[in-house]
Amino acid sequence: MTISAPDPAQPPPWTLHLPPGTPAAHLDLAAGQTLVGCWVAAWADDPGHPVLTTLDGTAVSAGELAERTAVAAARYAAAGLVPGDRLLMSAGPSVDLIVAYVAALRYGLTVVPANTAYTGPELAAVLADATPALAVLDDPARLPAGEVARPSVDPPGARPATMSTPATTRPDLGGLPAPVAEVALDLARPGDVALIVYTSGTTGRPRAAPLTHANLLASAHAVRLAWRWRPDDRLALCLPLFHVHGLGVGLHGSLTAGASVLVLPRFSESGVAAAVREGGATLFFGVPTMYHRLAGSAHLAELRGLRLAVSGSAPLPADLHAAVAAGSGQRVLERYGMTETLMLASNPYAAQRRPGTVGFALPGVSLRLTEGATGLTEIEVAGPNVISGYRDRPDADAVAFTPDGWFRTGDLGTFDADGYLRISGRVKELIITGGYNVYPREVEEALTSHPAVADAAVVGVASAEWGETVVAFVVASDAVDRGLLQRQLGGWCADRLAPHKRPREWRWIDRIPRNALGKIVRHELSP
Ligand code: MLC
Ligand code: AMP
């Protein structure tokens, strides 16, 4: 039962995000446009504008970025790629990587980002489902050699059970053939898929979210408007470029606003401080773990120099919000997003930023709450930012979308008296640690595949630094030495799971509580 939905007779709640004087009735976030079309138009307007900078003095102007991405696109063509092909991307943030990425979109490729910490089996699962024509990696040796097994999604015989691993290159595209001719650029249509992002565990059947140019542009425009992003802004960007936070909000938002990105190779408190002090950064976007570390460092006060600091991907505790405000004067603006829907809600830029809430629906986005059988209210979303369905997964679509086409976020929420959205929990089985998602089932499957494990369950426990950390409950199959088994399981997980998915703590029990359907009763597992 829908208990709270936008009133069609009233202006949408998001009009309060718009700068004064914006004609809301005429707001058409991305209609008929593509990400690259919008970026190229901004570059042509001001070719000398620095678009990418680094702390060691690199500066790439808009005109140079246009040129470098055209050359890179021609190299993709010389390597035999054609528009519509998929390109796996798994590398740390760098100017080269951004050039390779933007070039791929300009040439009409679909980019499949993957976590740089993925183990061989995790990467193989993405490769097998996505079948990219080329992989851009910091270390090409990370790719499993030879053939990879493909998941059985299609009826038997519909496609081969294995695929060859794709050609690889580094972010500077070293090793790709030199361009032989100019190639046609920027021909993507709004409905073409720019990104395919895997959202769930790599075991079982993968769930891939195809994000179109129109989805991504609508979300980039929404945050550009809501956060008053200007060409003279410079974002200190140290988020990974394989998730929608770093890519969809940080990079796309900056390029859509015609602003600059200060590219940092990784997050560090001193790096963020230097970005503000020496690099001219006016914006910083981070996950709560980054704010926790900044708040505990000697660099907190440097945030004072920013025009805006934004937090997302996980809940920002109200006491952390207060600590950052006390130490730097920055009232961090918290926003809420999700891979399949991009950005959903944000605290207001120009009105009260209310700790513990994620504010109001962003421009173009509609939110409603629906009460389930338990009486809890789930957040549902519709808008130009939302995917139209998972890739080749009608079964997942049937669960994720309501009959009237709204997307179920799996997050629980309530609106407070002033209409601020508060996220109160999750219906989905998900642990968020340092802004990364961990699906308990994936970790449990890795654990129970060990011969000495009879059963296992994984839960998240509260952590001031990480938000949640992963704790494993294990039933050993025989009377084995627990210390030895724990060491063995540590190595077992390290071979199969990226570090953020590996249990940080271990508990040994006799039986995993399960209900009549065999489902783990997680709340009975007390860490
Ligand atoms: C690193 N480690 C983690 C971890 N990140 N463990 C649990 N959770 C994490 N998030 C591991 C390391 O591999 C290492 O393992 C150990 O923890 C200590 O690492 P560290 O050096 O202290 O961590 P660091 O490399 O500094 O990484 C911390 C971080 C990073 C916060 C900078 O986690 C990060 O960039 N998080 C951002 C994730 C993100 O962008 N999420 C957006 C998803 S999109 P070992 O074994 O070597 O000791 C989304 C939608 C939306 O959610 O709304 O945005
Ligand atoms: P992902 O699947 O990686 O895109 O993660 C999306 C999930 O992150 C959402 O469904 C929420 O559960 C969570 N999330 C993102 N932003 C916030 C936030 N500000 N507060 C609480 N949870 C958040």
Side-chain angles (χ1 to χ4, degrees):
M1 182 184 52
T2 301
I3 60 156
S4 169
D7 178 353
Q10 298 295 323
W14 48 258
T15 44
L16 62 85
H17 280 299
L18 300 177
T22 309
H26 299 113
L27 188 74
D28 187 358
L29 283 171
Q33 292 184 26
T34 63
L35 275 180
V36 285
C38 173
W39 300 345
V40 170
W43 300 340
D45 276 351
D46 189 359
H49 190 62
V51 180
L52 306 176
T53 63
T54 64
L55 279 178
D56 58 17
T58 304
V60 179
S61 69
E64 283 162 357
L65 186 58
E67 238 172 78
R68 282 181 65 175
T69 50
V71 172
R75 298 186 77 175
Y76 290 136
L81 274 72
V82 293
D85 276 347
R86 287 174 293 283
L87 178 94
L88 181 99
M89 204 178 84
S90 185
S94 69
V95 167
D96 281 345
L97 184 71
I98 293 173
V99 170
Y101 172 68
V102 173
L105 296 189
R106 294 193 71 189
Y107 184 49
L109 304 176
T110 295
V111 175
V112 184
N115 194 313
T116 47
Y118 272 176
T119 59
E122 290 169 312
L123 214 44
V126 173
L127 285 177
D129 192 69
T131 60
L134 180 72
V136 177
L137 303 153
D138 287 322
D139 173 11
R142 278 181 60 219
L143 218 57
E147 303 223 300
V148 289
R150 299 175 62 161
S152 51
V153 175
D154 300 321
R159 60 180 193 178
T162 59
M163 65 161 286
S164 307
T165 50
T168 59
T169 183
R170 291 179 202 275
D172 64 3
L173 305 188
L176 289 191
V180 282
E182 279 188 21
V183 290
L185 292 171
D186 312 322
L187 296 180
R189 287 155 303 180
D192 288 347
V193 177
L195 279 178
I196 293 181
V197 187
Y198 284 84
T199 65
S200 73
T202 49
T203 49
R205 298 178 60 192
R207 221 175 45 168
L211 291 156
T212 63
H213 277 262
N215 296 146
L216 291 159
L217 187 55
S219 197
H221 275 311
V223 290
R224 175 183 65 76
L225 285 163
W227 301 343
R228 311 289 194 269
W229 219 322
R230 302 183 303 244
D232 60 353
D233 272 319
R234 179 167 298 176
L235 172 69
L237 180 61
C238 53
L239 286 155
L241 294 179
F242 45 77
H243 277 305
V244 300
H245 195 165
L247 270 184
V249 190
L251 182 61
H252 296 179
S254 298
L255 295 176
T256 302
S260 309
V261 177
L262 171 58
V263 186
L264 297 164
R266 70 191 62 80
F267 169 79
S268 70
E269 300 89 286
S270 57
V272 173
V276 182
R277 206 177 45 242
E278 298 152 29
T282 60
L283 304 173
F284 171 70
F285 301 165
V287 298
T289 301
M290 296 176 179
Y291 286 102
H292 174 88
R293 291 188 183 177
L294 283 160
S297 79
H299 299 287
L300 179 60
E302 309 254 13
L303 296 186
R304 194 178 292 279
L306 295 166
R307 176 176 77 76
L308 176 66
V310 179
S311 175
S313 306
L316 182 75
D319 58 350
L320 180 52
H321 187 278
V324 175
S328 70
Q330 271 304 332
R331 293 193 57 79
V332 177
L333 183 152
E334 183 171 6
R335 59 81 186 154
Y336 162 47
M338 197 178 165
T339 301
E340 293 91 328
T341 65
L342 300 164
M343 295 305 111
L344 295 167
S346 169
N347 267 280
Y349 179 78
Q352 190 201 10
R353 301 174 192 170
R354 197 167 282 183
T357 80
V358 292
F360 306 94
L362 276 159
V365 179
S366 300
L367 297 177
R368 71 181 188 190
L369 299 179
T370 298
E371 189 174 304
T374 53
L376 299 170
T377 50
E378 182 174 355
I379 304 165
E380 295 177 349
V381 53
N385 48 307
V386 182
I387 59 165
S388 54
Y390 291 102
R391 181 169 179 255
D392 297 336
R393 288 297 304 271
D395 58 323
D397 292 344
V399 178
F401 289 89
T402 65
D404 60 345
W406 288 61
F407 183 84
R408 298 186 170 105
T409 60
D411 293 311
L412 297 168
T414 53
F415 288 112
D416 75 12
D418 300 317
Y420 285 75
L421 178 65
R422 194 176 289 275
I423 299 175
S424 49
R426 293 179 207 128
V427 257
K428 53 192 172 192
E429 290 198 335
L430 172 66
I431 298 166
I432 304 184
T433 171
Y436 284 134
N437 288 359
V438 179
Y439 296 87
R441 208 191 103 204
E442 185 188 359
V443 184
E444 286 155 5
E445 284 181 10
L447 293 173
T448 51
S449 68
H450 188 279
V453 172
D455 202 359
V458 160
V459 298
V461 291
S463 153
E465 180 177 8
W466 299 100
E468 292 177 275
T469 52
V470 177
V471 175
F473 288 79
V474 179
V475 181
S477 50
D478 294 305
V480 286
D481 178 276
R482 286 180 177 170
L484 178 65
L485 180 56
Q486 182 173 325
R487 281 196 299 283
Q488 280 180 0
L489 286 177
W492 186 262
C493 290
D495 288 341
R496 290 163 176 78
L497 301 170
H500 63 274
K501 301 178 190 172
R502 297 174 199 157
R504 295 268 172 120
E505 287 175 48
W506 302 86
R507 306 274 183 273
W508 307 96
I509 54 174
D510 297 331
R511 189 184 62 83
I512 302 290
R514 289 179 185 274
N515 66 16
L517 301 171
K519 209 167 151 12
I520 297 169
V521 187
R522 289 180 204 280
H523 67 262
E524 286 185 15
L525 292 165
S526 135

